[in-house]
Amino acid sequence: MHKLNHPRFLIPATMDKGAVYSCIISTVLAFWIQTNVAGFEVWINTNPPAVEFGDSLEVNCSTTCADPSMTVEYKPGIHPNRTNSRDWITDRFPSIQNWDLVVPCSIICLSDNNKLKEEKKVVTVYNRELKITSPPEVLKVNKTYSLECIGPRVYPKNKLILTWLRGSEIVQRVSTGEKGSPDEDKRLWNVFNLTASGSDDGQEYTCLAEVDLGSNTTKPITNSSVTLQTYYPPTEAQVRKTADDWIEGKSQTLSCNAAGNPAPQVSWIKDEQIYFGEKLHIPSVQLRDGDKPQNTSISVNNKTVSGSPIHVSKGDEVTMTCDTNGNPPATFQWEAPSKGSNDETGPPGVLRISRATSEHHGIYKCRATNKYGTDENEVDIRVKGQTSARRLAAKVLGFTSVAIIAAAVLITMIIYFRNKRKESKKQQE
């Protein structure tokens, strides 16, 4: 093969020299026209585009100048393995040990009036040290928590992108415009605040670290994930039955459901016995099935007692009514502090005092009983003074008596003075 002065063009010896030369010459003329018009180019390429600290790296500087003088000089202490040709230089680094790695490529194009062109590239260097600060092991639904991600060391710092993903969905992405210093290890943080929901139970959240390679491309360098667990208390239980009616001798099945996380444990209580499971099967319904009395309440003169003492006056009529829940219906028994005078029992659960006296002062207990058990409640009755009607009558009587006496005195004085006047007239005559 014959080699032309320019190293990029080779001509096979077996081909017709005239024809091939005319083609090559026209191509070279076209190239030089383009070079003279557009000038020459300088490129810096790194492989890989971003390098992990401690890994190997290859750097290439090349140019379109036909006759270049090339220089690639690093800062002191950096000595790569170099190979070069007329229009390119390739440096190989077995292990990157510097965070600040700048590639300066300087070209003086001798074939273009010694024009100087310089390019510089800062190589992105990173490690894979990524840390996640996890929330509590179990999260309560509707409460807010923070997922914290501390990114790896990257220089320049503005090349790092930290992204939180919920599954494959991006929920928060952060970066910084600060280049940072190669001598300082200041990490980028991504703190994502989330309000836990039921759908987060078993959900994986991932913090992804990438470096920006430019031209809308990124390189993933490391990631870490956390799987959340959530809980919420059981909702109101819903009880269903398979048959609408309870028929003696027929079976009945009850089911109880309630949502919650973790799944609630369902139990049934009957006659102080506990049965576990969402369903309770009753092979044969019996009328004796029931409940003991509960929620027993007392009202005095149609007013429900709330625990405070009830004040009545002497002579008042007092009606106490006892009520309860239970199946079958309960029977009632009263315990009264009085000896029974003026006490009457009426309909079930009713105790009536026709006229209250000091003997009726004290604690009254109502006990409700059926065959499944007993429940009771009590009321404190305080008897004071006379009834309001009697006090009013006494006052009226007092005022009336005073008025009658005053009238009698007045009439007596009128009669006395009349008689005195008559006697005086007789004496004058």
Side-chain angles (χ1 to χ4, degrees):
M1 299 178 68
H2 298 284
K3 187 173 182 181
L4 295 178
N5 288 336
H6 197 285
R8 295 187 179 178
F9 302 98
L10 300 178
I11 303 172
T14 56
M15 297 179 66
D16 182 80
K17 293 183 180 180
V20 174
Y21 272 37
S22 61
C23 177
I24 293 299
I25 290 171
S26 63
T27 305
V28 172
L29 288 175
F31 170 80
W32 280 110
I33 292 171
Q34 179 183 1
T35 302
N36 290 334
V37 173
F40 63 95
E41 299 294 334
V42 178
W43 295 292
I44 299 176
N45 294 311
T46 60
N47 184 25
V51 62
E52 183 177 0
F53 190 89
D55 278 3
S56 61
L57 176 70
E58 181 176 288
V59 176
N60 177 268
C61 176
S62 59
T63 180
T64 59
C65 175
D67 190 10
S69 173
M70 304 182 64
T71 303
V72 179
E73 292 185 358
Y74 302 94
K75 69 180 184 178
I78 298 179
H79 305 289
N81 300 322
R82 177 168 292 181
T83 58
N84 62 287
S85 182
R86 183 178 181 181
D87 57 357
W88 56 265
I89 293 176
T90 298
D91 290 333
R92 293 179 175 85
F93 299 83
S95 177
I96 296 297
Q97 297 297 319
N98 297 85
W99 288 99
D100 184 13
L101 182 57
V102 181
V103 181
C105 185
S106 177
I107 307 293
I108 298 176
C109 190
L110 304 177
S111 58
D112 193 7
N113 297 322
N114 293 331
K115 286 184 178 180
L116 172 66
K117 185 173 285 189
E118 294 179 321
E119 290 292 337
K120 182 184 292 185
K121 181 174 183 178
V122 179
V123 179
T124 301
V125 183
Y126 63 87
N127 65 21
R128 300 178 185 269
E129 298 171 356
L130 185 142
K131 181 181 178 181
I132 286 181
T133 302
S134 300
E137 183 176 354
V138 181
L139 312 183
K140 186 176 181 179
V141 170
N142 295 327
K143 188 175 179 180
T144 300
Y145 300 89
S146 294
L147 297 177
E148 298 181 357
C149 179
I150 305 174
R153 184 176 180 179
V154 175
Y155 182 79
K157 188 178 178 181
N158 57 4
K159 295 296 183 181
L160 176 61
I161 302 171
L162 279 183
T163 304
W164 272 111
L165 301 106
R166 185 180 189 271
S168 59
E169 175 191 1
I170 296 175
V171 292
Q172 184 166 283
R173 171 174 283 172
V174 299
S175 59
T176 178
E178 299 178 1
K179 184 178 180 180
S181 170
D183 300 323
E184 294 180 344
D185 185 10
K186 291 187 177 180
R187 307 295 180 96
L188 182 65
W189 288 57
N190 187 346
V191 180
F192 175 59
N193 296 317
L194 68 92
T195 301
S197 64
S199 62
D200 281 322
D201 188 57
Q203 179 63 58
E204 184 179 72
Y205 282 79
T206 302
C207 182
L208 171 66
E210 304 169 279
V211 290
D212 184 6
L213 302 180
S215 302
N216 295 321
T217 59
T218 60
K219 176 184 178 180
I221 57 175
T222 186
N223 66 80
S224 183
S225 300
V226 60
T227 300
L228 304 185
Q229 289 183 301
T230 62
Y231 80 94
Y232 56 93
T235 59
E236 183 177 353
Q238 296 182 344
V239 178
R240 296 180 176 87
K241 53 188 179 182
T242 55
D244 292 335
D245 298 322
W246 294 77
I247 302 175
E248 186 176 14
K250 299 292 184 179
S251 65
Q252 178 68 280
T253 300
L254 303 177
S255 61
C256 178
N257 301 100
N261 191 40
Q265 183 184 53
V266 179
S267 61
W268 303 81
I269 300 177
K270 180 179 181 296
D271 295 341
E272 299 182 353
Q273 291 186 350
I274 301 177
Y275 303 88
F276 293 97
E278 293 185 357
K279 292 186 177 182
L280 177 65
H281 180 67
I282 303 173
S284 178
V285 174
Q286 302 297 321
L287 290 180
R288 68 175 178 271
D289 290 351
D291 298 304
K292 71 174 185 178
Q294 55 186 346
N295 301 323
T296 301
S297 63
I298 298 176
S299 61
V300 177
N301 293 338
N302 296 321
K303 293 183 179 180
T304 302
V305 176
S306 60
S308 302
I310 301 298
H311 295 275
V312 299
S313 299
K314 287 183 179 180
D316 285 353
E317 181 179 346
V318 181
T319 300
M320 290 173 277
T321 304
C322 186
D323 192 18
T324 190
N325 297 325
N327 183 29
T331 58
F332 299 96
Q333 181 181 2
W334 284 94
E335 289 185 7
S338 64
K339 298 179 180 179
S341 59
N342 300 319
D343 294 353
E344 302 175 1
T345 55
V350 176
L351 177 64
R352 183 178 293 108
I353 302 172
S354 59
R355 186 167 58 86
T357 67
S358 58
E359 294 181 353
H360 296 100
H361 187 97
I363 303 295
Y364 289 76
K365 289 185 179 180
C366 173
R367 182 176 292 107
T369 305
N370 68 10
K371 62 181 179 180
Y372 294 106
T374 299
D375 191 34
E376 64 180 29
N377 202 347
E378 62 184 33
V379 60
D380 184 4
I381 299 295
R382 305 283 179 91
V383 181
K384 60 178 182 177
Q386 296 176 324
T387 63
S388 56
R390 294 178 57 143
R391 287 196 299 269
L392 179 60
K395 289 181 181 180
V396 171
L397 180 60
F399 287 131
T400 303
S401 300
V402 171
I404 293 173
I405 293 172
V409 171
L410 180 60
I411 293 171
T412 301
M413 291 180 66
I414 292 173
I415 295 173
Y416 172 78
F417 284 112
R418 278 185 177 181
N419 292 334
K420 277 287 188 180
R421 187 176 296 175
K422 288 181 180 180
E423 291 178 0
S424 177
K425 285 183 178 181
K426 287 180 178 182
Q427 292 175 358
Q428 291 177 357
E429 292 175 356

